[in-house]
Amino acid sequence: MHPENQNALALNINNLSVKYGDTPALSGITLKVNAGDYLGVIGPNGGGKSTLLKAIMGLVKTASGNIKVSGHTPGYLHKNIGYVPQTSDVDKSFPINVQEVVLTGMLVRGFPIFRKYSQKEKEAADNLLNEVGVYALKKRHIKELSGGEFQKILIARALAVNPGLLLLDEPTSSVDANSRDQIYNLLETLNARMTIILVTHDLLAISAHVGVLACLNRQLVYHGKAELNSEIVSNMYNCPVDLIAHGVPHRVLKEHVHD
Ligand code: ADP
């Protein structure tokens, strides 16, 4: 891509700051993501990772800076962006089954959740459930799902807008190893047709799956290739992450220790 062709960027963030009251969550973030990239975002708890995704979605107010998705300013629930929130942000007691969750992904803001869906929309939802591997569960209530099953359904819901950019907030944090591998395989397949930004604590994802890495600790501490050689690890010295080892001892990020 020609560097001056900024519209070809999947995501172009310039000097973004977000505050909650007086608390700065993100300061001066400038981040460019090429179309087709698979970006992993890591950083300590409270480092602003979820806030970054919410800012891209237009779900939090920005204090300064601007965000462009494929050259456009994203509005609330922008149609070109699929968003998989943290499962802790989702109320699993809500009286809704799996197919209905995916259908809500097709809603335009302002429409009631329980509106009547067309046969075409239901078929599209079924296709998405098939794609993420949980079609058999389509009539099940969401509170009767395992962590992995629920994540796959949230991914199917995010895909309902046929996004060019898919944002995922810790999609493997409460899933078993089998589901985790299935989710990574699915994301790899999806990456062939969309840009992916994955917030994660999972070193397996960083070392084996993502192509580009960003580290957020309120500021953007590191942005570059995801191969964790010693130079990169030292660049990331200011980027402590909560380490969750998944049998990848050859690539380990050191925890930052203050002198
Ligand atoms: P991460 O996802 O990296 O753990 P977050 O984006 O959730 O970080 O949080 C960044 C900072 O903003 C933290 O200090 C957190 O406590 C604060 N924060 C997040 N959401 C809110 C909110 N709704 N109100 C006030 N402070 C918040």
Side-chain angles (χ1 to χ4, degrees), residues 188-235:
E188 222 158 290
T189 306
L190 292 173
N191 187 219
R193 62 178 206 254
M194 63 190 72
T195 309
I196 295 182
I197 300 182
L198 170 75
V199 164
T200 186
H201 279 116
D202 185 355
L203 281 194
L204 176 70
I206 297 160
S207 58
H209 298 286
V210 306
V212 189
L213 191 61
C215 179
L216 266 189
N217 194 354
R218 191 155 60 85
Q219 298 175 327
L220 188 66
V221 175
Y222 173 81
H223 180 211
K225 59 185 175 180
E227 288 164 21
L228 299 179
N229 60 32
S230 58
E231 185 197 350
I232 290 173
V233 170
S234 69
N235 276 340

Side-chain angles (χ1 to χ4, degrees), residues 152-183:
K152 290 176 200 164
I153 283 145
L154 291 181
I155 294 172
R157 180 183 187 277
L159 295 175
V161 292
N162 194 18
L165 174 63
L166 179 63
L167 312 175
L168 304 105
D169 200 344
E170 301 275 8
T172 59
S173 67
S174 56
V175 309
D176 58 69
N178 212 8
S179 297
R180 190 192 63 215
D181 293 346
Q182 289 165 352
I183 288 170

Side-chain angles (χ1 to χ4, degrees), residues 85-92 150-151 154 169-170 173-174:
Q86 280 196 16
T87 45
S88 56
D89 284 347
V90 182
D91 180 5
K92 274 178 93 172
F150 190 51
Q151 273 299 342
L154 291 181
D169 200 344
E170 301 275 8
S173 67
S174 56

Side-chain angles (χ1 to χ4, degrees), residues 6 17 41 45 47 55 70-71 76 114 116 125 128 139 146 149 151 178 192 197 211 219 229 238 245:
Q6 300 291 305
S17 297
V41 181
N45 277 329
S70 300
Y76 181 72
F114 291 110
K116 212 164 161 18
L128 291 170
K139 291 296 173 194
S146 72
E149 290 163 348
Q151 273 299 342
N178 212 8
I197 300 182
Q219 298 175 327
N229 60 32
N238 287 316

Side-chain angles (χ1 to χ4, degrees), residues 36-192:
D37 272 359
Y38 187 168
L39 172 74
V41 181
I42 59 171
N45 277 329
K49 303 181 295 298
S50 295
T51 300
L52 178 71
L53 298 191
K54 286 174 185 167
I56 297 167
M57 286 301 292
L59 297 174
V60 292
K61 203 168 157 264
T62 59
S64 70
N66 66 72
I67 300 171
K68 299 263 177 176
V69 174
S70 300
H72 302 284
T73 304
Y76 181 72
L77 301 185
H78 190 268
K79 280 300 258 182
N80 190 39
I81 314 173
Y83 174 48
V84 180
Q86 280 196 16
T87 45
S88 56
D89 284 347
V90 182
D91 180 5
K92 274 178 93 172
S93 68
F94 199 70
I96 191 166
N97 72 28
V98 164
Q99 189 194 47
E100 288 163 339
V101 169
V102 179
L103 285 165
T104 64
M106 298 171 189
L107 287 173
V108 180
R109 193 184 182 202
F111 277 76
I113 287 175
F114 291 110
R115 78 165 162 91
K116 212 164 161 18
Y117 295 97
S118 70
Q119 195 53 35
K120 207 169 151 213
E121 287 173 318
K122 286 181 185 165
E123 278 167 20
D126 288 352
N127 287 340
L128 291 170
L129 287 172
N130 210 16
E131 181 168 19
V132 303
V134 288
Y135 174 77
L137 304 174
K138 75 173 192 171
K139 291 296 173 194
R140 201 179 279 184
H141 189 284
I142 55 167
K143 71 169 182 258
E144 296 159 354
L145 299 170
S146 72
E149 290 163 348
F150 190 51
Q151 273 299 342
K152 290 176 200 164
I153 283 145
L154 291 181
I155 294 172
R157 180 183 187 277
L159 295 175
V161 292
N162 194 18
L165 174 63
L166 179 63
L167 312 175
L168 304 105
D169 200 344
E170 301 275 8
T172 59
S173 67
S174 56
V175 309
D176 58 69
N178 212 8
S179 297
R180 190 192 63 215
D181 293 346
Q182 289 165 352
I183 288 170
Y184 287 138
N185 287 339
L186 173 66
L187 294 182
E188 222 158 290
T189 306
L190 292 173
N191 187 219

